[in-house]
């Protein structure tokens, strides 16, 4: 039964939903903020996004190694805590260079979370319910992303363009707190 899942797995799933929600709050609005508030050009933003893709590609392989060497939970906590303030710093950017540095920091700090999460989720999920957990995880993430985008758009347009970015930071900190207090790596992995 899904109600009998380990508490660590439940907390892990909720923390991931919070991370997805936080990303939904801002992912569609970086470019609008960069162009309309910071004053970057289309070319400026294109360069920043290209650099983000390049950095993400370079960091993927060592990311898996770091997770295996130091522990998935530790990597997730460090990733979330270092990524959380990046969007707040982004809204303080006033130039191409500042925005580019923060955009690259977002990638460098955030890239390690998902692989560590997925590995830990597999370690914690009993084999008998893996398919259902994966389905619940996917549905929960879709709902979280949609809610994040809706709320982020509302706040960006009708309240203040910086608010979704501040809310990202707050939501990520809640997710980190949940991981710190409620998620434990299993002594034996589920097979």
């Amino acid at each position: 039964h899904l109600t009998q899942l380990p508490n660590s797995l439940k907390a892990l799933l909720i923390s991931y939903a919070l991370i997805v929600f936080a990303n939904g709050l801002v992912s569609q609005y970086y470019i609008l903020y960069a162009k309309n508030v910071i004053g970057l050009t289309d070319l400026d933003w294109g360069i920043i996004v290209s650099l983000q893709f390049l950095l993400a590609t370079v960091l993927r392989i060592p990311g898996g190694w770091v997770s295996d060497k130091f522990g998935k939970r530790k990597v997730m906590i460090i990733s979330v805590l270092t990524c959380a303030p990046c969007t707040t710093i982004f809204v303080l950017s006033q130039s191409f260079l500042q925005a580019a540095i923060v955009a690259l920091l977002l990638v460098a700090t955030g890239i390690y979370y998902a692989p560590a999460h997925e590995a830990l989720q597999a370690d914690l999920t009993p084999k008998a319910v893996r398919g259902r957990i994966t389905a619940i995880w996917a549905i929960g993430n879709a709902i979280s992303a949609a809610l994040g985008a809706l709320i982020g758009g509302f706040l960006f347009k009708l309240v203040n363009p910086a608010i979704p970015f501040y809310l990202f930071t707050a939501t990520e900190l809640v997710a980190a707190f949940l991981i710190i207090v409620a998620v434990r790596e299993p002594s034996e992995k589920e097979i």
Side-chain angles (χ1 to χ4, degrees):
H1 291 277
L2 296 178
T3 56
Q4 298 171 342
L5 293 174
N7 287 334
S8 283
L9 179 58
K10 292 175 193 173
L12 187 69
L13 293 170
I14 292 167
S15 70
Y16 199 88
L18 288 169
I19 299 289
V20 171
F21 173 78
N23 282 290
L25 286 168
V26 295
S27 61
Q28 307 299 317
Y29 309 108
Y30 282 112
I31 188 170
L32 297 174
Y33 196 91
K35 288 181 69 177
N36 299 335
V37 180
I38 301 172
L40 302 184
T41 66
D42 292 342
L43 178 60
D44 291 338
W45 190 248
I47 291 168
I48 289 172
V49 171
S50 296
L51 290 172
Q52 283 184 306
F53 278 117
L54 179 62
L55 183 61
T57 302
V58 169
L59 292 179
R60 281 199 206 297
I61 292 172
W65 175 83
V66 167
S67 180
D68 291 338
K69 179 146 178 79
F70 297 106
K72 299 164 194 83
R73 181 178 171 271
K74 284 180 189 172
V75 168
M76 289 167 49
I77 291 167
I78 291 167
S79 177
V80 176
L81 289 176
T82 56
C83 188
C86 288
T87 56
T88 297
I89 298 168
F90 179 76
V91 300
L92 301 174
S93 299
Q94 298 178 0
S95 68
F96 168 79
L97 183 59
Q98 291 173 348
I101 290 169
V102 177
L104 293 174
L105 279 173
L106 270 163
V107 170
T109 58
I111 193 102
Y112 302 111
Y113 182 84
H117 168 94
E118 290 171 21
L120 184 53
Q121 181 175 316
D123 291 349
L124 288 168
T125 305
K127 186 177 181 182
V129 293
R130 279 203 185 129
R132 287 177 274 179
I133 293 301
T134 301
I136 289 168
W137 180 67
I139 292 166
N141 291 341
I143 292 168
S144 293
L147 283 174
L150 178 67
I151 292 168
F154 173 80
L155 294 171
F156 187 94
K157 185 70 176 166
L158 299 176
V159 180
N160 182 316
I163 298 296
F165 297 93
Y166 296 139
L167 188 54
F168 172 97
T169 298
T171 304
E172 291 252 321
L173 292 174
V174 170
F177 177 76
L178 187 59
I179 296 166
I180 291 167
V181 300
V183 175
R184 299 289 171 258
E185 290 196 46
S187 53
E188 289 186 29
K189 298 174 184 174
E190 292 290 341
I191 299 174

